[in-house]
Each structure stands twice: as structure tokens, then as C-alpha cells.
Amino acid sequence: MGLCAAALAAALAGAVPAQARGDAKTPHWELKDSGTDVRLRGLSAVSRDTAWVAGSKGTVLRTTDGGTHWRNVSPPGAADLEFRDIEAFDARRAVVLAIGEGEASRVLHTDDGGATWTESFRNTDAKAFYDCITFLDRRHGLAMSDPVDGRFRILSTSDGGRSWKVLPADGMPAAQDGEAGFAASGQCLVASGPRDVWLATGGGARARVLHSRDRGLTWTAADTPIPAGDPARGVFAVAFRDRTHGLAVGGDYRADQASPQAAATTPDGGRTWTPAAHPPPAYRSGVTWLPHSRSVALAVGPTGTDLTTDGGRTWRTLDTGSYDTVDCTPDLGCWASGEKGRVARLER
């Protein structure tokens, strides 16, 4: 059933963990049968009815009936590609990113619901490795690569993903030794509004968030309190509800390693970051704001889903199922996806 924003926020605020739930009306993830067992780290929610997911073995799936049925719309000949991010504009138009070294990094787009796909970018630089893609509107989008010659590389489109160009590197701060992005949830590069973009990093001495106010031409970098100093640690995902208020989540993706200070907040567009007073209990790879709310957000990872109702200062576990990424739509369609073909929609 549909919910207004205030009602859903109030219901989430009073929610208890799924394993203790006795009230069927408490908001909870409802698993949908995706028909696949591949890991689905790419997710783009269009509405409560329509969503796209993408993952391993060149897999792209689409639903237009709320997850009851999923259509396999994978590009032909893509079985060797690793899709980690997808951005959809509606039920017909989507852009998907394949990651990897050299030519494994590619961008494909469809205008007919996945019936046909066109490759619009193939990386030819052996030093580049693309991680995430984002769109500021239906025409302008960016993709990011791990550092090449000491700086993160940015790819830009102004025609909805049909063509791409590498932006000049002179507006990008120098990368730290070992610094990179994490292609874990499609949320290491995000946008809010027509010009603002943020890029999340890890692997270096400090976990940082880079911010551009001009569609990727120039960037500033800010340290976050999320631990780094290891290739497995850093900021894995960011989310901004407007151009100033943001959330960052991450930690250490290794299951046998603790992830203290796995979340942080910013009130000033990413210039400064404050650790959550009570962060999620473990590594989190995806985060999203609840639409129309100034204080409610969800974070997901392999060990569960956490909820904040105070803008990211405190988090508590809502569900213990495994998800890699999460996305919500203006009509309050919240979706999550992850390992073994898991896809779910938030229900009440």
C-alpha cells in the first residue's frame, strides 16, 4: 500500500527490528523473486512500480509491476561484464556502467526498456578503472575512475549518456597514495540539483569526500572521520537530500574486521563532516534519504539495514538481511538489492 511521507517516517520511527516484529503494519523489506542468483550491486528506483537492477555476469533486470515480475533485459554478449551501477530515467531509458581495468569499464544505454542497448563508452586507458556513474538531470551525467596519473578521472555526458568525454584533470585535487573509489553500491558518485556532485573515497590515509559545484570541472576535498588507512576501508556511499545536508557510510568491507565510526554527517555541502554519535554496528555500503523527509534515512550492508530518524546522528538496526545498495523514489518506493539476486521493496 502507498504511504504519505509523514506517515512512513512516523511508522519507521516507531519500527522495531524485523526479528522482533509482531505488527504486520510495521515497515519492512519484502523480498521479491528476481529470478537470478547473481549479485546485484546496481539499483535505480524509478517509482514504487518501476525499478532497474544490474549486477554480475552482465545482468540487467527491470520490473514495472512493483517487483512481482522481473524481465531480463541484459545486453547481448555482456556475460563477461561486471555491472555495478545503473541510472534509469523511466521505464524505457537507462544507462549502465560496467567496471574493471581497461576495456572492462564501459557504459551502455537503452531507450526502449532494454530491448536494445548501445555501447557509448569503452575505456581504452589501461590505468583507468571506473567505479560509479550519476546524473544531475536527464541530459547531464558524470562517471568517475580511480586515479590516473595521481588524480581521479571524470567522464562527462550532456546528451543523456549517448556520448562521453574525459574532463580536464587540472581542477581535481591530487589523490592520496592508495586512494580509490569503491564500486560496491553505485553510490560513490552522487548528485543533488543541477550542478553539485560528490565523490567518496577510501584506501588512502584518510577517507575523503570530494565536492564539485560545477558539474565536475573543479573539486575540493574534505576529510571524514570514517576510518581509512587500508585498501578495504573508507567511505563507500554518500547521499545528499539537498546541496548542503549529506550522509556518508562505509567502514571495512572484510567480514572479520570491525567498522567503528561507520557513518558521518555534513551540514555544509561536504566541507566538514561529523561522526555519528551512534553509528551503524557494522560496515555499510549503501545509503539513501527518505523522500520528503529532513531527518529519516536508510543505510544497508551485508549484515543488515539501519535507520536514522535524526538526520544521521544515531542509527539503529531495522533488519538483518543482506543488501548492498538502496534507493528511494518521490512516491515513496524504497528498494534494496544485493547478493544472490536479492531484491526487496519497503512495505507496510
Side-chain angles (χ1 to χ4, degrees):
M1 62 179 291
L3 292 170
C4 73
L8 181 55
L12 281 167
V16 296
Q19 61 268 32
R21 188 172 63 245
D23 178 5
K25 291 187 177 182
T26 299
H28 61 281
W29 290 121
E30 183 176 290
L31 281 168
K32 308 294 183 177
D33 183 3
S34 69
T36 185
D37 62 357
V38 305
R39 193 159 199 162
L40 301 169
R41 292 185 183 269
L43 165 66
S44 186
V46 176
S47 68
R48 279 187 58 81
D49 292 327
T50 300
W52 300 66
V53 291
S56 303
K57 299 180 181 179
T59 302
V60 180
L61 309 176
R62 184 194 64 156
T63 182
T64 56
D65 59 8
T68 301
H69 302 94
W70 292 86
R71 182 180 177 187
N72 188 328
V73 294
S74 305
D80 293 334
L81 297 181
E82 183 74 21
F83 291 138
R84 292 292 182 90
D85 198 357
I86 188 166
E87 300 291 329
F89 304 103
D90 49 43
R92 297 185 63 78
R93 288 189 58 204
V95 179
V96 66
L97 172 72
I99 68 151
E101 296 178 352
E103 292 192 5
S105 285
R106 306 180 193 181
V107 179
L108 297 85
H109 70 90
T110 181
D111 295 318
D112 54 15
T116 61
W117 292 87
T118 301
E119 182 180 300
S120 55
F121 173 77
R122 182 180 298 207
N123 174 47
T124 57
D125 189 335
K127 296 179 289 186
F129 185 118
Y130 286 84
D131 299 293
C132 289
I133 191 170
T134 192
F135 276 83
L136 300 95
D137 54 42
R138 296 177 71 92
R139 294 188 299 122
H140 298 92
L142 301 173
M144 60 81 68
S145 164
D146 290 340
V148 176
D149 299 329
R151 298 176 190 273
F152 284 95
R153 175 169 288 180
I154 303 297
L155 200 63
S156 174
T157 181
S158 58
D159 56 13
R162 294 175 178 83
S163 65
W164 297 83
K165 64 178 181 180
V166 175
L167 293 182
D170 51 4
M172 177 66 70
Q176 305 171 90
D177 289 344
E179 191 175 25
F182 291 108
S185 61
Q187 296 178 327
C188 61
L189 184 72
V190 304
S192 180
R195 306 189 70 82
D196 287 88
V197 189
W198 293 265
L199 188 162
T201 83
R206 302 174 306 281
R208 304 195 298 174
V209 174
L210 282 62
H211 178 207
S212 172
R213 295 180 176 84
D214 53 13
R215 294 181 182 161
L217 293 175
T218 61
W219 298 78
T220 55
D223 294 347
T224 76
I226 294 177
D230 184 278
R233 296 186 196 135
V235 179
F236 281 72
V238 288
F240 280 77
R241 65 172 172 83
D242 52 40
R243 63 193 309 265
T244 58
H245 297 88
L247 304 169
V249 300
D252 190 319
Y253 69 73
R254 295 170 294 192
D256 61 343
Q257 298 294 313
S259 290
Q261 296 179 313
T265 65
T266 179
D268 53 18
R271 286 193 295 273
T272 61
W273 292 86
T274 302
H278 186 78
Y283 154 69
R284 294 295 181 250
S285 55
V287 64
T288 190
W289 290 93
L290 188 76
H292 318 299
S293 171
R294 298 177 60 84
S295 59
V296 182
L298 297 167
V300 299
T303 62
T305 298
D306 300 296
L307 167 74
T308 179
T309 58
D310 56 13
R313 289 185 292 275
T314 62
W315 296 82
R316 60 190 176 89
T317 301
L318 186 69
D319 183 273
T320 56
S322 174
Y323 298 103
D324 292 317
T325 189
V326 61
D327 193 18
C328 292
T329 62
D331 67 346
L332 301 177
C334 289
W335 297 81
S337 66
E339 64 178 344
K340 299 178 182 178
R342 286 170 61 89
V343 184
R345 190 178 69 175
L346 195 66
E347 305 289 354
R348 185 185 178 197

